[in-house]
Amino acid sequence: MNLRVKDKLVLGLTGSMLSGKSTALNFFAQNGAEVLSCDEIVRELYKKTAVRQKLSAWFGSFQPAQVAKAVFNNQAARLKLEGFLHPLVLQSAAQKIKQSAHTCFVFEVPLLFEAGWDKLTDLNILVLGDKRTLPARLKERGVSLAEYNRRIAAQLPEDEKARRADIVLANCGSKADLGLKIKRLIRAITFIYGVK
């Protein structure tokens, strides 16, 4: 399945945990882009009866926290879950893009490169968080360094993501600074590609 649509521009947005990708997504929306969140689509899917039945049969529950616990250290279970959910997420995203009147989309996907979805979009943007402020952000979110490192270890290294990305947004200043970068980026992208 492809997310590209004629006369529309689809940008993939990713970043490591606590890099600021959700904040970036909000700024893209404020600057006129239609935004989609992979996590939000998954939340929508979890409300569907057929999905709940499948998850309950496999993991004993359809509650997200229980499913996450079931696949936490079980690669086979995680791959089974991803194999089931990923096509549904792609189908939903493609349908939303196709049906919308917007011409510029930003699709936030935490595992954009790991899932190979970077090949389905027109351009890909990586948000790089500031390592100096990571301890404060972990504390704010109530996430331990060990948990952070465990999640990061399951992803591609940031330097590899940066190599694959078309655009790297350094989130090393204030939120206002990130917002200004995104405002300028959207202006440039819409001018270059002729979308609004």
Side-chain angles (χ1 to χ4, degrees), residues 66-78:
Q66 295 301 316
V67 173
K69 188 176 179 182
V71 303
F72 181 71
N73 281 323
N74 186 331
Q75 184 178 8
R78 180 178 56 79

Side-chain angles (χ1 to χ4, degrees), residues 42-136:
V42 169
R43 281 190 283 273
E44 290 173 8
L45 290 171
Y46 269 66
K47 294 175 184 175
K48 296 190 173 189
T49 302
V51 171
R52 287 181 169 198
Q53 289 173 343
K54 182 78 78 174
L55 296 178
S56 293
W58 286 346
F59 307 113
S61 174
F62 61 80
Q63 297 298 328
Q66 295 301 316
V67 173
K69 188 176 179 182
V71 303
F72 181 71
N73 281 323
N74 186 331
Q75 184 178 8
R78 180 178 56 79
L79 291 174
K80 187 175 190 176
L81 178 65
E82 289 175 355
F84 173 61
L85 288 179
H86 283 185
L88 298 176
V89 171
L90 278 176
Q91 182 181 21
S92 177
Q95 186 176 21
K96 288 174 189 288
I97 292 168
K98 186 176 180 182
Q99 291 177 348
S100 175
H102 276 76
T103 55
C104 183
F105 291 83
V106 179
F107 185 26
E108 178 201 9
V109 184
L111 300 176
L112 180 75
F113 297 110
E114 291 83 351
W117 292 6
D118 56 308
K119 297 171 184 70
L120 308 178
T121 57
D122 296 302
L123 289 172
N124 295 291
I125 301 167
L126 172 67
V127 179
L128 282 181
D130 189 346
K131 298 289 187 198
R132 296 169 299 177
T133 62
L134 179 61

Side-chain angles (χ1 to χ4, degrees), residues 134-150:
L134 179 61
R137 286 180 281 136
L138 288 171
K139 185 176 180 181
E140 185 180 302
R141 290 278 293 270
V143 177
S144 70
L145 183 59
E147 172 64 10
Y148 173 82
N149 287 333
R150 184 195 67 77

